[in-house]
Each structure stands twice: as structure tokens, then as C-alpha cells.
Amino acid sequence: MHVFLPDGKQLDLPEHATALDAAQAIGPRLAQDALAATANGVLTDLMTPLPEGAQISLITKKNPGEAQSMFRHSLVHVLSQAVNEFYAAKGYPVGSVKRGVGPSIENGFYQDFDLPEPLKEEDLPALEGVMRDIIGRNLDFVRTEVSKAEALRVFGHDPYKVELIGELPDDEPITFYTQGDYVDLCRGPHFPRTGALPQAFKLTSTSGAYWRGSEKNPILQRVYGVAFASQKELDAYLERLEEAKKRDHRKLGRELELFTIDPLVGKGLPLWLPNGTTLREELTRFLREQQFQRGYQGVITPNIGNLELYKTSGHYQNYSDSNFSPITVDDEQYMLKPMNCPHHVRIYASKPRSYRDLPVRLAEFGTVYRYEQSGELNGLTRVRGFTQDDAHIFCRPDQLKKEFLDVLDLTVLVLSTFGMNDVRFRVGTRDPEGSKYVGSDENWTAAEDQIIQAVEEVGLPYSIEPGDAAFYGPKLDFVVRDVIGREWQLGTIQVDYNLPERFDITYTGEDGADHRPVMIHRAPFGSLERFVGILIEHYGGDFPLWLAPRQIAIIPIADRHNDYAEELRTELHTAGLRAEVDDSSNRMNAKVRSAELSKVPVMLIVGDKEQEDRAVSVRERTPEGHKERKGVAFSDLKTELLERYHARQ
């Protein structure tokens, strides 16, 4: 057989040669340094036979980061071996540890275990020590192919492996990877030996996880780890992780009294507290103003709908796993609303439409309900009831590009208002092999072309993700990187030729005939719950003045200054600013500390001098630290704060 090197040179090798054979053919030093390879752009290990005629590139000790997913997955096997040895040292017999799946993931890896006794968080450092010992033994990873019968014999004691093996084809060889006395069912690929693995890793946490994600199955213990090619990368990641913990929206939501989730109300159903409601209302006010300027009309739809509505739209069939069960009422079936769009289609259809009426832009902050598994719920970012900043535009085909560009402009404006300027744009298209999509190929091609043309017209860099489209149409997603480097998918715009057909909605054209409108679905925030959760973490709870639920704390130095403080509060409140007086019996420093902990952006301190001059001393929280000013005329400060509020700063 022969393969081709990056420079185009042909390398002749024995039949069924591996990447290690290729490295040895080039030179013994390369074979010693080689860790992995790519074959036709796909990561492969040194032990797997290469395809005939493959374009190959070798990965060495100089660039292990190019094989991150491989060394992370190899660390999963080291972790599993370490867990075996950890429980053997406790006196448990061989076979006591059973294993589910263990993939590499972004920044690290995890492995699911069925253990004779649960691991504790405090066990992780000791387990990590066993892993480092295994790496120090420099054990070879050995790849072998076995029959299905042999695989079942080896793993007969492990029901999870038996289940996985049972689903594999009978006539194809199954691969095992072995290091030392540890063997696992695995497709690979892996590093050649444990001693070649980077030691920049750390076990971080454990959690429960249903086997294969189903609540009907046993709960396994999942052990998480992070791993990088260098200690510098690991240290930087751990530092970001600590920062993320400080910014955790669940922690800050509790401390700043923004929201609560009460088990008596229900899992995944957040209750908005007064501070959180203020924040949410500022967001909706901001977007409503933008929508008003762009010709949107507000609508309101119920939180429940007839089941036939969602069958017609396709949401009942295509989202069956995430819909709540139907409710029978008066011999009819109803369902908690999973989407707003079918309701908006029926509003469009409520009267005849002319080509002169289009575009029709209907907007709603509509609450929808999705069934999420308990283990997937997470504060505000994964809930069962949430409010979408939903709008649907019904337009003529010749209006589509202009409307799409306007929505694109609106979404970019929304994100930039919150300092979310590091954005990448992802076009979700149909998977050619997928079966979930509705509508004609012609409509899908037209919709995908329109999105790509619009994005290219404004010069935005984008990637195409086949299979990421909704069942009714392609979409443009906005993926935002926050201040500590995490990515979030926020706003979305979708082009839809199919729901208008499914509901048979039309408009009368200039020629007097019926024509089919095109729909644009859009949600710049995505959902208010998720957006607020991300916003809390993006700002770390230090909201700009216009968003802060508690904008101004007025702190009298002594009781004799309380009346003056209250006078200022009334004036600020009348002007539309949120101000409060701390007239508690605490000392001034304690009052300042209290306002600091509550992340109030502006503190006004008043004493004898300020009262005499109708002035204030100002202490502000800024990204750079505290900023203090003394003897500021109150009238000037009020004007300044109002300008900042209305400029949304």
C-alpha cells in the first residue's frame, strides 16, 4: 500500500500498515517522537491500519495539542484503571467496578461508573495520584480486534458493556484497547503509551447521570476531569473556572435576590423576585422600544393550545420528547404551549391579507413550556417554563432579504448593547441524510440561500453546520463568547417556507391571485430566563446603571441626615431612577459594605457638609475599581445619572 505525506511525497508501506509504520519508514527519531496522526484529515492513532492512499500527517511531542481529544480520551482509560486499583485496594474483588461511557469533551473528559460504594469529592486527589502512577509506568496502549462472542465473554460481568456490544454488528470485528492489566471496549484512537500523556490534568467533580440519558435506567456516578497539553493552559483554565464559580448565576441570583426556584412550585419553574423582575422589565422595555421603531406589532397568546394546532405545525410530532403530556378538556386535547409560532400564524390568518399589508411583524414576550429531564435543569439557563422574545415576520419573497437584514441588524445591536461583541455566526442547514425535516427541497434550498446571501452581503464571517436546522427551516445562530471565554448560543433567526404551507396561509397579490408568504422566526435574546442567567455571569452581577435593579444607595452618616437623604431619594425616584436610603442604625462603613455586597453601582454619602451645600459624596463601582468624588452638586449628579440611564450605560 502507499500513503501521501503533507509535501505530496508518496510513501510505500506493507499492506495494513499503521501510522507508526509510516513514521518508522521516515526515520527512527520520528517514530520515537510520534504520538498520533491524521489520515485524510481524521485523527487516528499509531496502532490503527491506515486507509490505502491516505493523506497523512504525523503529530509529535512538539505539538501534542493537535491531538487533544485523543489524549483526553486516553486519560479516561487511565482514570478507569485507577478506579479499578482504588477499589481493589479497599478489598473489593475484580469486576466490582462496572463502566458506562467515557468520552473526551470540551476541555477534558468524563467516565460513568457503577461503583460498589460511591466516590466522594475528597477521594479525587488520591484517585488522581493513582492516575499519575499509571502514567509513570509508561504502559503501552495495545489495540486488538476480537469477535462479538469473545467481547461478550470478556465483559459478561458488566451489563453496560454487554448492552453496548449487543448493538454492534455481528460480522464486524470489535476493538479492545489494553494498557497493563486493564482492558476496555473502545473504538479508539489512543496515544501509544501512558508515559506519553500530558500530565496537565485534574479531576474536578462527580455527579449522577442516567445510563444512556434515560430516567428509566440506573443512575451512574460520573467523574469529570480537565486536561490540556501544557500546565500553563491548565492553570489558565482553572483560573477561569474559579472566576466562573464567583460569577455563577445561581449563587449571584440568590445573593442579589433576583430569582428563586421553589420545590413546592416545581423544578425548572423560576420565581422572579422584585430585583430580578426589575432587571427583566428593563430588558423587555429596551427591546420593545427597538421593535416599535422597526414596525413590530405586539400580540398576546395563551399558555395552552389545542393539540391539533401543534399537530398541524409539526411541533407535536417533531418535539415529542420535550412536550408536556396533553390534557383532556371537554372531549378535546390541549397542551402547554411549546412554541409561539403556531399561535402567531393563526393571528395572521385571522383576516384576509393583501400584498400591500406585508410585511406583518408580530412580536410577543410569550411564555412556553418544555419538558426537560431533572438532571439537565440548571438555574435559569435550563428550565421548564421560559419566556421567549419571540417575533414572526410574514413577508413576500421579494421582501425576505431586507427583512432578514433588519433582524440581523437588530440582533447585533442587542448583543453589542450588553458588551457581547465577540460573536461568531453559525448557519444551521439540513442534514441531507436526516428524516426530521418537512417541506420541499426547493423551499429548503431557497431558504438556505437567502440566509447565506444576507450574511455575506454584510460581510459577517460564518460557519455552516449541517443538521443544525429546525425541522421547518434553516437558521442563523449567534454564538457569543463572554468575558471569561465561555461560548453561549443566544439569538437566532430562522427562515421558514414550510409553516405557511402547513397552515395554508396566503395573501392576495397585485395580480389578484393567492400567494404564499415566507416566515421569519426571530428571538434576539433567545429566552429571557437564559439570557438573564448568562447576563448575570457576563457582568458578574455588576450591572451597568440602567440595568441594575438597585441603582442608587443613599447613605446618611448620622440620623440627623436621614431627612436630607430621603429628600434626595424622592427627587431621584420622581425622575425615574431607582434609589433607596439606608437609614439603619449601622455605622457608615457598614452601610457602604452592605451596598458593596449588593453590587449597587452608585452610592451617595451625605453628612453635614453635603446637606449644607445640597451636595453629595459619590462612590461608584466601575470595572476598573471604585471611583470617588466629593462635594458634587446634587442637581448636576441627577442630570448625569439620568443621561447615563437613558443612554443605557
Side-chain angles (χ1 to χ4, degrees):
M1 66 178 290
H2 49 263
V3 296
F4 295 92
L5 301 177
D7 61 2
K9 179 182 175 182
Q10 178 177 309
L11 197 62
D12 297 318
L13 299 170
E15 190 177 8
H16 306 304
T18 65
L20 181 59
D21 295 325
Q24 287 170 337
I26 297 170
R29 180 62 183 269
L30 182 58
Q32 183 179 345
D33 289 346
L35 299 175
T38 60
N40 298 328
V42 178
L43 199 59
T44 186
D45 58 32
L46 301 182
M47 300 82 82
T48 301
L50 294 168
E52 166 66 30
Q55 298 277 347
I56 70 165
S57 176
L58 291 161
I59 298 169
T60 69
K61 296 175 181 177
K62 294 180 180 178
N63 54 348
E66 293 181 16
Q68 279 194 138
S69 62
M70 187 187 291
F71 72 66
R72 286 170 176 163
H73 184 54
S74 297
L75 283 167
V76 171
H77 283 234
V78 173
L79 168 63
S80 290
Q81 182 178 359
V83 168
N84 278 358
E85 294 183 9
F86 183 82
Y87 281 91
K90 286 174 169 278
Y92 288 100
V94 174
S96 297
V97 174
K98 299 173 179 62
R99 299 181 302 278
V101 296
S104 65
I105 56 176
E106 184 181 10
N107 300 316
F109 55 87
Y110 71 76
Q111 173 68 55
D112 291 342
F113 295 99
D114 186 343
L115 299 170
E117 65 174 274
L119 275 170
K120 303 182 182 69
E121 295 283 336
E122 53 265 33
D123 293 329
L124 296 185
L127 194 55
E128 199 176 293
V130 181
M131 289 178 67
R132 296 190 190 281
D133 180 63
I134 292 168
I135 290 172
R137 297 176 210 166
N138 199 24
L139 304 173
D140 288 335
F141 281 97
V142 179
R143 179 183 183 273
T144 54
E145 294 184 356
V146 300
S147 66
K148 190 170 185 177
E150 175 64 8
L152 288 170
R153 185 193 67 77
V154 172
F155 286 104
H157 67 284
D158 189 326
Y160 309 104
K161 298 296 182 185
V162 167
E163 183 176 330
L164 293 174
I165 294 166
E167 295 172 357
L168 297 174
D170 292 337
D171 55 351
E172 291 183 13
I174 292 169
T175 53
F176 285 177
Y177 278 82
T178 303
Q179 79 263 15
D181 60 0
Y182 174 79
V183 60
D184 205 351
L185 171 77
C186 185
R187 290 192 183 95
H190 285 284
F191 265 32
R193 55 197 174 277
T194 62
L197 293 170
Q199 294 222 32
F201 69 88
K202 182 177 178 61
L203 300 181
T204 54
S205 62
T206 72
S207 69
Y210 288 108
W211 167 237
R212 310 196 87 169
S214 172
E215 290 180 323
K216 298 176 182 177
N217 291 335
I219 296 179
L220 306 181
Q221 186 166 15
R222 179 169 293 176
V223 180
Y224 285 98
V226 294
F228 294 88
S230 69
Q231 189 63 39
K232 182 179 178 181
E233 291 174 278
L234 176 62
D235 291 343
Y237 174 78
L238 293 175
E239 187 176 331
R240 291 197 303 273
L241 205 62
E242 284 304 308
E243 183 64 23
K245 288 179 183 177
K246 294 177 190 174
R247 292 170 178 263
D248 189 322
H249 77 280
R250 296 164 299 180
K251 170 180 172 288
L252 289 173
R254 189 167 54 250
E255 292 172 357
L256 302 180
E257 298 181 4
L258 300 173
F259 70 94
T260 187
I261 296 177
D262 188 323
L264 194 58
V265 173
K267 296 177 181 178
L269 300 172
L271 299 172
W272 292 87
L273 304 178
N275 288 342
T277 301
T278 299
L279 172 59
R280 177 174 165 144
E281 287 176 346
E282 286 289 355
L283 292 173
T284 56
R285 184 182 298 116
F286 160 66
L287 189 56
R288 280 197 176 103
E289 288 173 7
Q290 296 299 323
Q291 291 176 165
F292 177 78
Q293 297 299 327
R294 295 167 191 257
Y296 287 82
Q297 299 171 288
V299 296
I300 299 173
T301 62
N303 288 356
I304 191 171
N306 194 294
L307 188 60
E308 293 304 313
L309 175 71
Y310 309 117
K311 286 183 176 179
T312 303
S313 71
H315 289 98
Y316 178 71
Q317 302 92 307
N318 286 281
Y319 292 120
S320 57
D321 290 343
S322 58
N323 292 329
F324 280 94
S325 299
I327 308 163
T328 301
V329 180
D330 297 335
D331 298 325
E332 290 186 310
Q333 287 191 299
Y334 290 81
M335 195 168 72
L336 288 172
K337 178 173 61 173
M339 291 281 192
N340 297 303
C341 38
H343 297 252
H344 291 189
V345 172
R346 300 313 298 160
I347 290 174
Y348 175 90
S350 64
K351 68 175 185 179
R353 307 282 181 173
S354 160
Y355 73 97
R356 297 179 184 275
D357 300 327
L358 272 57
V360 174
R361 307 180 187 95
L362 303 178
E364 175 182 19
F365 288 91
T367 301
V368 297
Y369 300 89
R370 311 269 176 85
Y371 172 69
E372 300 282 359
Q373 293 186 15
S374 298
E376 295 177 336
L377 298 173
N378 181 33
L380 292 178
T381 58
R382 198 76 179 261
V383 292
R384 287 175 172 165
F386 56 94
T387 302
Q388 292 180 310
D389 57 321
D390 228 346
H392 297 91
I393 300 168
F394 302 84
C395 62
R396 305 190 307 264
D398 63 290
Q399 297 171 323
L400 177 60
K401 184 187 286 186
K402 180 179 181 299
E403 291 300 312
F404 190 93
L405 287 171
D406 184 72
V407 174
L408 179 56
D409 179 70
L410 171 62
T411 308
V412 170
L413 170 67
V414 167
L415 296 177
S416 63
T417 298
F418 301 99
M420 297 178 177
N421 299 310
D422 188 352
V423 185
R424 62 182 178 91
F425 304 89
R426 187 174 65 199
V427 178
T429 59
R430 261 193 318 178
D431 177 356
E433 306 299 321
S435 59
K436 72 175 183 178
Y437 307 102
V438 298
S440 68
D441 290 344
E442 180 185 5
N443 282 347
W444 273 92
T445 300
E448 290 173 356
D449 287 349
Q450 289 282 2
I451 291 178
I452 291 170
Q453 287 174 26
V455 173
E456 289 183 343
E457 186 169 310
V458 294
L460 296 176
Y462 66 93
S463 62
I464 294 179
E465 299 288 340
D468 210 32
F471 74 88
Y472 48 78
K475 60 179 180 172
L476 175 66
D477 288 334
F478 296 74
V479 182
V480 174
R481 188 182 298 276
D482 69 14
V483 293
I484 57 174
R486 299 168 303 179
E487 284 196 334
W488 307 92
Q489 192 266 302
L490 293 178
T492 187
I493 314 172
Q494 303 166 356
V495 175
D496 181 5
Y497 284 82
N498 291 312
L499 283 189
E501 283 193 358
R502 293 176 75 89
F503 282 98
D504 193 24
I505 58 173
T506 60
Y507 64 90
T508 304
E510 197 170 2
D511 58 0
D514 284 344
H515 296 266
R516 189 82 68 201
V518 185
M519 279 181 71
I520 295 175
H521 307 239
R522 52 110 280 206
F525 292 146
S527 89
L528 280 169
E529 282 72 10
R530 189 164 188 265
F531 191 83
V532 169
I534 292 166
L535 203 63
I536 293 168
E537 298 190 359
H538 182 66
Y539 285 119
D542 278 312
F543 300 110
L545 180 74
W546 74 279
L547 271 181
R550 301 171 64 188
Q551 292 176 320
I552 304 160
I554 306 173
I555 298 172
I557 293 175
D559 288 350
R560 63 181 178 275
H561 308 123
N562 286 353
D563 290 344
Y564 176 56
E566 183 59 36
E567 179 187 329
L568 301 185
R569 188 209 67 81
T570 301
E571 193 168 330
L572 291 169
H573 185 78
T574 302
L577 294 169
R578 297 183 286 276
E580 56 194 53
V581 175
D582 185 347
D583 57 2
S584 67
S585 59
N586 293 329
R587 289 182 168 276
M588 184 195 75
N589 287 343
K591 294 178 182 180
V592 169
R593 175 66 176 158
S594 175
E596 287 281 356
L597 291 174
S598 298
K599 298 185 184 292
V600 179
V602 178
M603 286 169 267
L604 308 183
I605 300 168
V606 295
D608 292 337
K609 179 65 174 170
E610 288 81 11
Q611 184 168 323
E612 181 182 340
D613 297 340
R614 192 167 170 74
V616 292
S617 290
V618 185
R619 180 181 172 90
E620 294 184 71
R621 296 173 65 89
T622 71
E624 296 77 31
H626 292 105
K627 175 182 173 185
E628 296 190 10
R629 292 178 286 167
K630 296 186 181 296
V632 180
F634 176 70
S635 59
D636 293 343
L637 181 70
K638 184 178 77 169
T639 300
E640 174 193 322
L641 294 177
L642 283 170
E643 287 175 353
R644 284 170 52 188
Y645 175 64
H646 292 299
R648 296 197 163 94
Q649 295 175 347

